[in-house]
Amino acid sequence: MKIMKFGGTSVGKPERMQQVANLITKDSEPKIVVLSALSGTTNSLVSIGDAMAKGDKIEAKKIIDTLEAHYHAFVNDLLKKDATKAKGEAVIAEHFDFLNIILKISFNEALNKDILAQGELMSTKLFSAYLEENGIAHVLLPALDFMQIDANDEPYLDAIRVKLNRLLQQHKDQKLFVTQGYICRNARGEVDNLKRGGSDYTASLIAAAVNAAVCEIWTDIDGMHNNDPRIVKKTLPVEKLSFDEAAELAYFGAKILHPTCIWPAQQEKVPVKLLNTMQPEAAGTTIMQDAGSVGVKAVAAKDGIIAIKIKSSRMLLAYGFLRKIFEVFEKYKTPIDMVTTSEVAVSVTIDSDAHLAAILKELDPFGTVEVDKDQAIVSIVGNEIAQTPDVLKKLFDSIAEVPVRMVSYGGSRHNISVLVPAANKIQTLQLLNKGVFGLE
Ligand code: ADP
Ligand code: ASP
Ligand code: MG
């Protein structure tokens, strides 16, 4: 079994959907195709939810109507035969009736999750109508029937495996399955999602659940590049990455992959390929157990970081101090990304301010607490990077003019991270491209 996931831009135009149909019918291998919403749709659905949360129904209605017009034009272009065009129109009617009903009922977070699910529900149904029109046999598998998260909002792989394999057993004679990325059910049975960019996570979870031969992530670029192509002019695709390297890059900001989507594929040793829908012949990036070469592969940056420093003379020669500090973050389910310590202070970084006020209040008795918001973590990732000759010299020589706030080295064998003010992020990525990769 092969998993093929297509992102928003890969299905965002009628001709792209046609291209996806070509790509999935090139060979007769059994496959599960995971689709995102059409590009821009989830952003619009987020805006509808935001407007509803503010009680601005006029704004919500405006966004709904603009989105609906977009889908009518899309269906009109995508589907040619009367019967399938009617099906496409029925899909639009069903989902926009729902969006219009939410204007009349009270808004809450559970309803917001239902709103956010509409994009993937529509894209897969429209794609299914297109396959039908072209006589391509397939089964539409509802992700809400098998994709599940637990009470901590973590994917529940064992349950996903059982439910998905049971569904597949019901269609033993079929070879092509289509399903929604991103959406799932939570522990309460409500519609939920795997967070923004979550279709990659869906693909990796399905790949693990069915022990797929490969998990292909098809997007709008020819693989993981050595630097962020949205920021740095000259970047190059990386041919091979280990699961650990790819996981670090995704977690530390390489947007091409959802931050935590690698672990399911890694757990079941399913190779992941990053491929370009617009340029299918390009080699892309292969992610597997073995990284191939040693050395620096890529850099990535993660915004929205908050640095917290706790200074206390009581820390001097004391044990148990760090545990007490870390327990505060554990209590508020707030992961720590970077840590540095000295005899009298500890600095940590977090990427969410959701519980910041409560965390600061509980840290207060431990000493003087300083907070720096608007920071960015820049991570340099590569297999055995810490043992790569000259890597630290090259790194610090190239960013000598950047005010580095924290450094993490040696925590992982694949990563060196620096914390810089967010305002210096672009400069740091550009300087590293020249100094570490020799690219201008
Ligand atoms: P999709 O909609 O297919 O999921 P995304 O927009 O989520 O696509 O991810 C692809 C985008 O990720 C690229 O267009 C690129 O701008 C961005 N990106 C950020 N960092 C990297 C990187 N290191 N390598 C490749 N792409 C990256
Ligand atoms: N449609 C969702 C998003 O835009 C999920 C995804 O595209 O991966 O975040
Ligand atoms: Mg994405």
Side-chain angles (χ1 to χ4, degrees), residues 5 7-9 219-221 223-225 227-230 254-256:
K5 175 259 169 177
T9 37
T219 182
D220 58 0
I221 189 164
M224 176 75 77
H225 279 219
N227 205 327
D228 192 329
R230 295 165 301 177
K255 196 210 163 203
I256 187 170

Side-chain angles (χ1 to χ4, degrees), residues 84-105:
T84 35
K85 234 189 222 313
K87 270 200 178 165
E89 284 299 329
V91 170
I92 300 181
E94 180 193 345
H95 292 278
F96 282 90
D97 280 354
F98 169 76
L99 288 174
N100 278 296
I101 286 170
I102 60 142
L103 296 168
K104 301 193 182 95
I105 57 181

Side-chain angles (χ1 to χ4, degrees), residues 5 7-8 36 196-200 217-219 255-258:
K5 175 259 169 177
S36 292
R196 294 306 305 270
S199 299
D200 303 331
I217 310 270
W218 290 81
T219 182
K255 196 210 163 203
I256 187 170
L257 283 174
H258 175 283

